[in-house]
Every structure is written in C-alpha cells, then in structure tokens.
Amino acid sequence: MTAITDFDSLRRAMAENGEQPEGPARNARAELLLAQAEKLNIPLAVIEALGHQLKVYNYSSEKDRMFVPFARLLRMWDERPEDFDAHETHSLHWVFKWMSAGMLDQPHVPLASVEKWLGEMEHRYRLAGHSERAVRGAEFSVAAHVGDEERAERAFAAWLAADRDSMADCHACELQGQGWWRAEQGRDAEALELWAPVLEGAYTCAHEPHAALASSLVPLLRLGRPEEARAHHLRGFRLVRAMESMRGAYADHVEFCALTGNEARGLELLAERPAYFTDKGQPRSRLDFLSVVVLLMERLSALGLGGQQVPGPAGREWTAAELAVHARGEALALAARFDERNGTSHISERARARMAQEPLVERLPLGVRAVRPPAPAVAPPAPPTAAQGSDAPDLAALLAEARRLSDTLQPHAVEAWAAVAVAAEGAELAARDRAEIADHRAMGLGPEGAETFEQAAGLYAEAGDPGEALAARARGAYVRALDGDIDEALAAVAEPYDRVLALYAEGGTEVRQAAGVLMGRARILMRRVHEAEGPVAERALTEAERAVRELLALVEGRAGDDVRLVARVAEGHAMLAELTTRAGDAQAGAELFALAAAEFVGAGLPWFAVEYEAKLAGLAHHLGDMAEAERALRAALEHGGRFLEPVGRAQLHLQLAEVVGGRGEAGEAAEHALEAAHWADEAGEGPAFGAWARHQLGGFLVRQGRWAEAAEVLESALTDLSAETHGDGALVQTQWWLGDCLSELGEHRDAAERRLQAAETARHWPEQHDHATLAHLAAESLGQAGLHAEADRAYARAGDLWRSLGNVHGLVRSLRARAWLALRTKDGPENGGHDGTEQGIDAARELMAGAVGECADALETADDEETRLRLVLELGHTHRQFGDLLARSAAEDADDDSIRAAMEEALSQMSQAVAVFVSLGDAALAPRTGAELAAGWLEADLGRPSRAAARARAVLRAYADAGSDPDFEGGDEETTVRARRAEAEQLLQAAEEAATEQR
C-alpha cells in the first residue's frame, strides 16, 4: 500500500478503495486507511476514514462490524461537533438509518435496544432540524419485521405523509421499500405500480433497480406475467451477481429459478456464491438465502433427484436431500433466534411459508444455458396381472386397444403392443395375435428388427394371411436398408414384391397388404436416393419414381376410409415431392409436399405431416415465398403438438425465428429463438444447436434494445460457440453484439475487450471492413473507459484500415476521435502519452487538420453526386468539430491574448462549417443552425454582440416556417427545432443586453 503522507493522499486512497469490488479485501483496506488517518493527527481525517470504513462494511457481508466505527463517530460528535464539516455532519445523521436496519438484522441485539435506538434517532433528527420521514420509515421497518401489521401501517402512512428532506432515502430506495410492503400483503399489482419508476430507470442508486428487479420476480409470476419475470431475472441477476452485500436479492433469483422449472439454473447460482451459505455478518439475509436453498433442494427431491450432488457449504459433498435437511435446520434455528428476540413467531412462519412454495410456472425458458440435472431412474411399470385387482385391464382389452392404435396409425402403438406382450406371458394366443406382437416388436427395434420381422412373417402365414406375411418380409428388407446395405435390401424385397402382385391379381390378398410390400420397396429405392453422394444418378431417380407411381396407381381411388391406405397415398406424394425437387423442379416439389401434408392432416394424422411441412418451408424459403415458409413452419409446430421430439421442435422454432425476424418482427422472433434454445437443451444439444439458438436470440434482443437480457444470453452462448462447430463468423457477431450491449450498459472496459477479441478474429478475413469497424468501436469503448493511450492506438489501427479500404468517412472519424483524445490528455504523459499541454494541443490540431485535408482530397476525386454530397457533409462536421476543439483548447490560466487567439481560430473553423452546410441547402439545416449558434456564442465571447445577434436571427429565420409545413412530422425533428429556437432566443437576448452595455 502506498504510504499516506497527507490528507489529500488519504482521500485519494479512500476514493480508490471505494471503487473496488465489495468484500473482505476492500474492508481490510479501509481498516488500514483508518490506521494511517490516525497518524495524520487531523480529526477530520479520522472522521472521514471512520465514515469510509462504515460504508464499506455496510456494502459487504460484514455488516455486523458497522456498529464499532459508528459508536466512535457518535462519541466524537458529542465531544467535538466542530471537528465535523458539513458533509460529515450530514453523513453521520444519514447512517443512523443504517444502524437501525443493522440492529434488526442481528438477532442478538435486544428489541428494546432497537426501540431505544429508534427514539435516539428521532431525538437527534429533531435537534438537527430534519423531517421525521426517515424516522417513520425506520419505525415501519421495525414493525414489519416483528409482524405488527397495525403499527406497520400507521408508520407506513406517517412515513409517506412526512416531508422529504436531505435525510430521506433516495426515491428509488423508498419506492422499493413501499412496493415490498404491498407485495408482502399480497397486493402485487400495487407493488409493481410503485416499483415502475425504478424498474424503468427513472430513479436509480447503488442498489437500485437491483433490489426492485429481484423483489418483482414472484409478484410478476403470481400475476401471470412470466415473460416480464424472465426479463427481470436476466437483467437483475446481472446487476447483483458481483455485489456481495446483496445476498437477499440473490436469494430472490434462486427462488425464481425454483418456482419456474429452472432448477438447474438455480444450482448454478448456488455454485457461484459458496460463501453465502456460511457468511454470518448479516443473519437476516442468510435466513433468506437458506430458506430458498430448502425450496430448491426439496423441489429437486420432488422430481426424483434427491440423490444428486449439489453445491453446498464447503468441507463436504452434498446431495439435494442432505442439503435440504441441513439448510432447513440452519434456517429455522436462525428464525427461532429472531422470534425469541422479537417475542413473535412471525419470522419462522414467513420462512416456513417460503420453503413450502409450489412452482408457479411449470416451465419458463430463460434463454441462457443451464446443464440439466440427470433424469431420475424410473422403474418400468409392473405388468398388469389378475393379482393387481379388478381395475387392471385384461388381455382382451389390451389387445383391442393395441389393435385400434395400430390400425389407425396412432402414436404409441408399438408401446401398446409391448404391454400386450408382457400381459400375454404364459397365455395361449392365436397365431394372428402372436404375429402382430412380433411385428410391432420388430418395429421398435429399428435396424435390428430384420429377424423379428421374419418371425412375424412366419406367424402371419400360420394365421392364414400370406399377404401380411409378405408385407412383414418387405418391412424386414427395409430395415436392412436403414443399415446401409441397399443392394441386400433390394434382393430381400424382390421375392415378396413379385409374389404379392401375383397374389393380389388372384384375389388372394387385399390392397392394404399389397400396398405394404410396394411401400417397402419404394422406401428402399428412396433410401438409395437419400444416401447418394453428390448428384443422384438418373437411374436411381427413375427407378424410385417408377416404384412410387406403381404404389399410387394401386392405392389411389381405393383408400376409402382406410387410414393406412390414405397414409400410403400421402407418403407416396411426399416421395414424389422429394424426387421432383432432386430433379430440379423446386416449385412442383413444394406443391407435392403441400399435398402430402394436407392428406395426412385430412386423415386425422397431423403428426405425420410435420416432416413434410418442414421440407415445404425449406423449399418456400428457397423460392423466396417467405409467407408460405412461415405458414408451413407454424403448421408443423401445431400439427406436431406433444408428439414432436425436442430436437425437431427446436429446429422448427429456430427456422420460424429466422423467418419472422426477417420481416422485422424481432419480438416474436426472440420468443421462437428462446423456445429453440430451451428445446435444444432438452434434447442434449445445448453445446451445438442450443448455442446457435442463443446466438440468434441475443441478436433479436439487441434489435429490441434489451441490452441486459441480450448480454446474459450472448455470454451464455459464447460458453459453447466455437469456430469449428458454428464458424468464426458466428463468434465475431456474438462478440460484436455483446460489445454493443456492454457499451449501452456502461461496462466500457468489458465492451472494449469483446470488440478487440472480435477484431482479432476478423483480422484474418479477406474482406477487412468488419475488422476496421470493430477496431473503431473498440477504440470508442477504450476511450469511454478512460484508457486514452490504448484508445489512441486502436483509433490509429482503425484509421489505417479505413485508409486501405478507401473509406474516407471512417478515416476522418478516426482522426477526429484521436484529436479529441489528444486534447483530453493534454495534462501530461501519465494521462495518455503526450509530453505536456502544448504538445497535446498541437497534436490535436494536427489530427483535426488532417481530417479536414482528407475530406478535401477526397472531394477532388469524387466521381458521382451522392458521394460528393456525403463528403461535403463530412467536411462540414469536421470544421464544426475543429472549431469546438479549438474553443476548448484554451487553458483557463492562459493569458488573454492566447485565449482570444484560440477563440478567433475556433470562430474561423465554425464559420467554414456554416458555409459548407449552407451549400447543401435544407438537407443540412440542422447541422447548419447548430454551427451558426456555436459561432454566435463565440462572437459574443469575443465582444461582438451585433454579429452574435445576426447569427441568432439567421437561425430564427431558418425555422420561421417550421411546424406550419404540412409535411413537418415532428418527433426528433420538432425537438431539434424547439431547442434551436430556444437557444437562438437566448443568444439574441444576451447579445442585445451586451450591445446595450457597450453603448
């Protein structure tokens, strides 16, 4: 630690420490600074160091340590109040409120002491002439804490009725407390109305909207507004994540996860803050945290995951069930201590109620990735037997249901036949029944079912159904094709194909059985088409099409009400659609896919239509028919319903997000991308497909300006995005978007880091525009972060790139930015690399002059009117900024001649800007009037009121007709007009008064 040698160095050290992250390290530094302050032998230095120590304790997990420094401060005040300056006098009275809340948080402090302190606070505030508003607010906190609702309401009303003064909490904190009380009473809508100005950013402070966002989560869920709750979680958790002192708000976010089906996310939150289990400096927030830990652990146990390992207190491994018991015991013991102190049961009742909550939303996707807990092992249901009672279905009923499902092609028919097989063990079954059992067992085996299909064929033959026996053999041939052996499969289906046609011609079998064999053969030939590498051989396409048309010739017109036959026709049309598309006729293919999907839906089999609606969407997209693509995707999601596999659902939602987003509906697109991310995680595809969905979701959130939510999602996406899987373009775009988010959130160092990372990747691309743009953006972030030397280097890099690309506008803007940096760093090399005031100013002038020169050079070679107009506008802006820079370059302590010379030079540049803008006519009215007013103020400062007045009148004339024009749209333009008029009137008045004084 740098030695503290005087009061100023102490104050600088305290300011630096105040900027450090909350926690024990910052607290320890404050203690060392107090020791250093005591050596200065300056009472105010000790007072300020004690105040600093008290503040860092309050904003940490060591709140219980506040009382000692405050007691010392109070004693010093009572003994020598003259040692306190105005600021420290205010601070001393301000932290009375912290002491009141701090005592409530410590169950070892008797309630009588809390009440006595409340009276002391009231007395001292009255002596100091302060309103009783803060006192009544503190009284409300005491009454609400012990559960005295009647007193709490009285104090609440008195709090709001008292005048606001310098001792009142900030608006944001007051509204948070008021909303919290209404939510505690179940008046959620009123709570959210009170919080609205805080949530919308009208009022903020060090802990707001952090706390209000956390407090709003459960009320929003109870009101049926889960989408807002999700947004508040993503936005709010980002704010509290790094703030050690906000354990209570952190607990609200864990609670939200437990109540919305996001248990995995809740576990990740616990893992981020292991110290929260044991930090004892603020028992009340520890009680809140432990209560929601119980809620989360018992939720996991209810899902069958009680044996899963979970994050917990250090020193041992924990299962969910074990941690639930431990946390419950710790929480209730803490609650009992509070209740014993308070003489009520309120705290224990509240803790138990919080632990016992039931989920408010079954499933609320968040968009951020959380590793899902492993599914619990589920024992297979015992087969129904007579011993299970009369309610167990008998074998005949199981057979009838299985046959109904398979005859009508319903989902889960295979499972129904499996249940029949279990129930039929040891029973005498007819050959037909045994054939169907074997047939469906083979279907469930996939490529491994060929031999079982042969067994089924034998049983069908035994049952006297040679046609179905041949169809079973054809199914067996097809599953061989699934293993990749197309030739073997074709050989296996050849005999059944020849025999079934002959059998059907003789009347020995029905259309259904013959169609089954023809479908098996067509599927095998289609498999050959699917597996072809590169262009499909003409022969393969022709043979497949012939087989499909043979099937359709057999079945079309004979299907009637037979669902199986209708499905054969629909599948045949889908096969033709694919063949037609492969042959190059995408339009005809799309029409056939649409026909197939409609036939499946018409037959009452919408789940079979999903695959073809998805393919239709792809073709429509290729053909540029985005409306049809959107319709087909929506239909696929609707028709798939609960039968869609997670990965298929994810793919459909993501495709729909891209289509909807493409027509500008970023809000709905984000909803679909959110669903895609969720279902990708459900399918175990989080690192691959899920990461891409999160990438897209983040982009749609960025388009809506939802910066905090987008940042959380994009950071989550970057965990899994890789150049190998997703391409380096996705990586760069994600970092780019994230940099934009962080910049909007004021996190400029992190924004710069993301933009520099993206620029480094783009540096290797053949086309360098993105590299230049990212380098420029990174420079902006570095400058906003106060890293001026680094920003200058980044702007120089961007300028070189813009020059190499022939982009004059980018080059000029980089030069102007560097000029402003040079001016800001004019105080010396420690602030950015220049050797002193004159060198910094000279560098700024040189850079700005260079920007003017680049515009002028480019204008000489401009070869079209649009390019020329853009360059003229850029030149005008450059002269305007040059003028501003020169005006600001005059040092306050410089002699009058130097200041006047700088002002004259600035006026010259501003006048040139006006002239340039005038040449562009009405297209540059706003920048022209802005430059005219700036020049007018310079004229006034130089003692030329008549010229200043002339410029003001010129602006008023320019806007004389604004607003009366029927094409005048208002909005931003109207705001500009009003501001320009007001400033011109102000300048005119000042100029006329100055002219009068001169006379």
Side-chain angles (χ1 to χ4, degrees):
M1 181 179 73
T2 304
I4 302 300
T5 57
D6 54 33
F7 203 172
D8 286 341
S9 61
L10 173 69
R11 283 174 165 166
R12 284 196 299 271
M14 289 190 296
E16 290 170 4
N17 194 45
E19 296 297 319
Q20 298 304 306
E22 295 177 356
R26 187 170 73 157
N27 296 353
R29 168 80 164 154
E31 293 160 11
L32 291 172
L33 290 172
L34 174 60
Q36 295 277 5
E38 289 168 338
K39 297 176 182 178
L40 296 177
N41 198 28
I42 302 173
L44 185 58
V46 175
I47 290 167
E48 290 190 12
L50 284 167
H52 174 66
Q53 187 181 72
L54 201 156
K55 182 176 181 180
V56 298
Y57 283 156
N58 183 60
Y59 292 109
S60 77
S61 62
E62 298 180 309
K63 290 177 182 283
D64 56 332
R65 303 180 67 182
M66 291 191 300
F67 303 111
V68 172
F70 183 74
R72 185 176 172 187
L73 273 172
L74 196 58
R75 185 171 64 252
M76 293 175 72
W77 168 262
D78 289 338
E79 292 173 354
R80 291 180 56 84
E82 64 272 17
D83 288 341
F84 288 71
D85 63 12
H87 180 269
E88 292 306 319
T89 299
H90 178 275
S91 297
L92 177 70
H93 287 81
W94 180 269
V95 296
F96 264 91
K97 299 178 293 182
W98 294 358
M99 294 304 106
S100 177
M103 288 179 177
L104 277 180
D105 290 346
Q106 306 294 331
H108 69 275
V109 178
L111 190 61
S113 297
V114 177
E115 295 284 6
K116 181 180 177 181
W117 183 259
L118 190 60
E120 178 76 7
M121 177 182 174
E122 184 171 9
H123 171 69
R124 288 181 181 264
Y125 272 40
R126 188 180 300 115
L127 286 177
H130 296 307
S131 163
E132 66 171 12
R133 189 177 183 94
V135 177
R136 298 285 77 84
E139 181 189 4
F140 160 74
S141 297
V142 173
H145 173 71
V146 301
D148 187 344
E149 188 164 345
E150 184 177 341
R151 182 188 179 193
E153 277 295 340
R154 286 198 309 272
F156 187 85
W159 170 25
L160 299 188
D163 292 336
R164 280 188 57 83
D165 67 351
S166 62
M167 283 298 112
D169 282 341
C170 74
H171 282 289
C173 287
E174 283 204 334
L175 290 172
Q176 155 60 13
Q178 293 161 21
W180 172 85
W181 179 237
R182 292 310 181 212
E184 282 288 299
Q185 297 173 310
R187 295 157 68 175
D188 294 330
E190 290 180 46
L192 286 160
E193 187 175 347
L194 284 164
W195 287 326
V198 183
L199 298 173
E200 293 165 5
Y203 301 122
T204 61
C205 69
H207 280 184
E208 294 297 345
H210 316 42
L213 286 164
S215 297
S216 71
L217 296 172
V218 171
L220 283 168
L221 293 173
R222 288 195 297 239
L223 288 171
R225 293 157 64 178
E227 292 80 11
E228 291 175 67
R230 173 179 57 234
H232 286 199
H233 168 66
L234 293 176
R235 179 180 161 206
F237 182 69
R238 183 173 192 83
L239 294 173
V240 304
R241 172 184 272 142
M243 301 189 72
E244 184 194 53
S245 61
M246 300 201 72
R247 177 163 55 184
Y250 201 99
D252 292 339
H253 287 279
V254 176
E255 177 183 45
F256 165 83
C257 293
L259 297 178
T260 57
N262 286 288
E263 296 83 8
R265 167 83 165 172
L267 292 177
E268 291 187 357
L269 267 57
L270 296 187
E272 284 193 32
R273 281 288 186 181
Y276 276 175
F277 287 98
T278 53
D279 283 344
K280 297 182 178 180
Q282 190 189 28
R284 186 153 59 156
S285 71
R286 183 166 181 254
L287 171 58
D288 289 337
F289 183 76
L290 290 172
S291 297
V292 300
V293 169
V294 175
L295 173 68
L296 178 60
M297 294 306 115
E298 294 191 346
R299 178 65 190 149
L300 288 170
S301 296
L303 294 172
L305 297 168
Q308 181 185 332
Q309 285 196 352
V310 295
R316 57 162 288 187
E317 292 184 346
W318 297 90
T319 65
E322 291 168 344
L323 184 56
V325 172
H326 170 79
R328 179 179 286 275
E330 292 276 305
L332 292 180
L334 257 179
R337 288 177 59 201
F338 278 109
D339 285 341
E340 182 180 4
R341 188 270 300 273
N342 300 338
T344 69
S345 60
H346 177 68
I347 298 297
S348 293
E349 290 170 0
R350 189 173 179 275
R352 286 192 174 93
R354 196 169 195 185
M355 297 174 193
Q357 294 176 96
E358 293 293 327
L360 294 170
V361 178
E362 181 180 352
R363 179 187 70 87
L364 181 61
L366 301 179
V368 292
R369 185 184 176 211
V371 179
R372 292 186 56 75
V378 179
T385 65
Q388 289 178 296
S390 58
D391 289 340
D394 59 22
L395 181 56
L398 288 171
L399 269 168
E401 177 62 9
R403 197 160 279 135
R404 182 191 70 80
L405 291 174
S406 57
D407 283 347
T408 55
L409 297 179
Q410 298 298 304
H412 308 309
V414 170
E415 293 83 352
W417 280 104
V420 169
V422 173
E425 289 180 4
E428 289 289 334
L429 289 178
R432 177 72 189 199
D433 297 335
R434 287 183 284 126
E436 291 185 82
I437 291 172
D439 202 359
H440 287 87
R441 183 188 304 123
M443 293 177 193
L445 292 173
E448 307 299 322
E451 292 185 6
T452 308
F453 275 123
E454 289 296 330
Q455 295 172 13
L459 290 167
Y460 280 125
E462 181 182 337
D465 191 342
E468 199 61 56
L470 293 169
R473 289 180 61 192
R475 288 190 283 275
Y478 174 61
V479 298
R480 288 186 173 88
L482 295 179
D483 251 350
D485 197 336
I486 307 297
D487 292 338
E488 181 183 347
L490 285 172
V493 81
E495 182 188 357
Y497 168 74
D498 291 337
R499 288 183 58 191
V500 82
L501 290 177
L503 192 63
Y504 177 70
E506 297 166 358
T509 193
E510 301 293 331
V511 172
R512 178 190 286 191
Q513 288 74 25
V517 177
L518 268 59
M519 178 58 77
R521 182 169 178 271
R523 286 173 175 169
I524 293 169
L525 290 166
M526 287 298 297
R527 192 75 186 174
R528 185 164 67 182
V529 171
H530 294 152
E531 293 189 357
E533 295 183 5
V536 184
E538 184 68 28
R539 177 186 172 192
L541 290 171
T542 301
E543 289 182 354
E545 181 180 354
R546 188 182 298 123
V548 173
R549 293 197 181 280
E550 184 179 20
L551 166 70
L552 291 171
L554 172 69
V555 179
E556 282 184 312
R558 299 182 178 87
D561 295 331
D562 190 326
V563 172
R564 283 178 176 267
L565 291 179
V566 173
R568 298 296 190 210
V569 173
E571 187 176 351
H573 287 144
M575 289 175 171
L576 284 182
E578 186 155 353
L579 292 168
T580 302
T581 303
R582 294 259 184 167
D585 191 344
Q587 184 62 51
E591 293 169 2
L592 283 165
F593 275 130
L595 173 61
E599 287 169 335
F600 275 122
V601 172
L605 305 171
W607 47 88
F608 284 117
V610 172
E611 176 185 354
Y612 308 118
E613 284 163 335
K615 290 182 176 180
L616 169 59
L619 281 177
H621 195 292
H622 172 73
L623 293 167
D625 188 348
M626 305 313 292
E628 176 63 4
E630 183 176 339
R631 185 210 62 78
L633 288 167
R634 292 187 188 279
L637 281 167
E638 176 189 352
H639 293 147
R642 59 192 175 88
F643 303 118
L644 265 177
E645 292 294 325
V647 69
R649 190 181 298 273
Q651 290 168 341
L652 289 171
H653 274 297
L654 189 56
Q655 290 176 60
L656 190 52
E658 292 171 349
V659 171
V660 172
R663 60 177 172 82
E665 297 293 334
E668 185 185 351
E671 293 173 11
H672 287 295
L674 179 68
E675 288 291 328
H678 169 78
W679 289 110
D681 289 343
E682 289 284 316
E685 293 289 335
F689 190 65
W692 180 256
R694 273 180 273 280
H695 159 82
Q696 295 283 66
L697 172 59
F700 292 128
L701 292 171
V702 165
R703 282 166 60 178
Q704 297 174 76
R706 294 160 65 178
W707 310 111
E709 296 168 66
E712 283 291 302
V713 170
L714 293 167
E715 286 173 347
S716 179
L718 282 172
T719 302
D720 294 316
L721 280 173
S722 68
E724 294 75 21
T725 302
H726 306 95
D728 56 9
L731 271 175
V732 167
Q733 183 63 78
T734 303
Q735 289 169 325
W736 192 330
W737 281 332
L738 182 54
D740 292 347
C741 294
L742 297 172
S743 179
E744 292 288 341
L745 295 170
E747 300 174 32
H748 298 300
R749 282 178 180 258
D750 290 339
E753 181 181 352
R754 293 299 183 181
R755 287 168 166 175
L756 287 170
Q757 289 172 348
E760 180 60 25
T761 302
R763 182 170 69 88
H764 304 287
W765 293 355
E767 208 289 315
Q768 288 288 284
H769 185 273
D770 286 344
H771 181 201
T773 304
L774 286 162
H776 200 114
L777 290 171
E780 288 181 5
S781 294
L782 289 165
Q784 289 168 322
L787 301 172
H788 295 154
E790 294 87 343
D792 184 71
R793 288 194 294 271
Y795 275 125
R797 174 186 177 188
D800 290 342
L801 289 165
W802 291 129
R803 188 184 298 278
S804 70
L805 291 167
N807 188 317
V808 179
H809 301 279
L811 172 59
V812 167
R813 289 167 191 178
S814 69
L815 288 168
R816 294 197 309 236
R818 292 183 67 198
W820 283 110
L821 280 172
L823 187 65
R824 292 189 192 105
T825 57
K826 66 183 180 181
D827 295 331
E830 70 277 7
N831 290 326
H834 296 294
D835 295 328
T837 301
E838 291 303 323
Q839 288 84 346
I841 294 172
D842 289 345
R845 288 167 176 267
E846 183 180 346
L847 286 162
M848 199 65 83
V852 171
E854 293 291 347
C855 286
D857 291 346
L859 272 169
E860 291 182 3
T861 59
D863 54 5
D864 64 84
E865 187 62 18
E866 183 180 352
T867 300
R868 193 191 72 80
L869 289 175
R870 288 184 62 214
L871 285 169
V872 170
L873 189 62
E874 197 74 77
L875 178 61
H877 285 302
T878 305
H879 280 301
R880 166 67 198 266
Q881 288 198 33
F882 203 168
D884 287 335
L885 181 140
L886 290 166
R888 296 183 193 182
S889 69
E892 293 180 3
D893 57 353
D895 59 80
D896 290 347
D897 289 343
S898 296
I899 293 175
R900 187 172 187 84
M903 302 279 280
E904 291 283 9
E905 193 177 358
L907 179 59
S908 173
Q909 289 292 334
M910 209 66 74
S911 298
Q912 290 182 69
V914 172
V916 170
F917 290 136
V918 166
S919 73
L920 294 173
D922 290 343
L925 180 60
R928 168 198 147 195
T929 54
E932 191 86 72
L933 288 168
W937 289 113
L938 287 168
E939 299 275 21
D941 289 341
L942 288 165
R944 301 164 186 163
S946 60
R947 294 185 184 182
R951 290 188 184 275
R953 292 189 186 99
V955 172
L956 291 173
R957 284 196 303 273
Y959 288 124
D961 298 327
S964 60
D965 186 340
D967 295 328
F968 186 70
E969 297 180 356
D972 291 342
E973 184 181 355
E974 182 178 3
T975 301
T976 300
V977 171
R978 291 182 186 278
R980 293 281 195 272
R981 281 174 169 167
E983 188 179 354
E985 294 285 0
Q986 183 184 3
L987 174 60
L988 184 59
Q989 181 180 352
E992 290 175 344
E993 290 173 356
T996 301
E997 289 177 6
Q998 284 183 354
R999 287 195 294 269

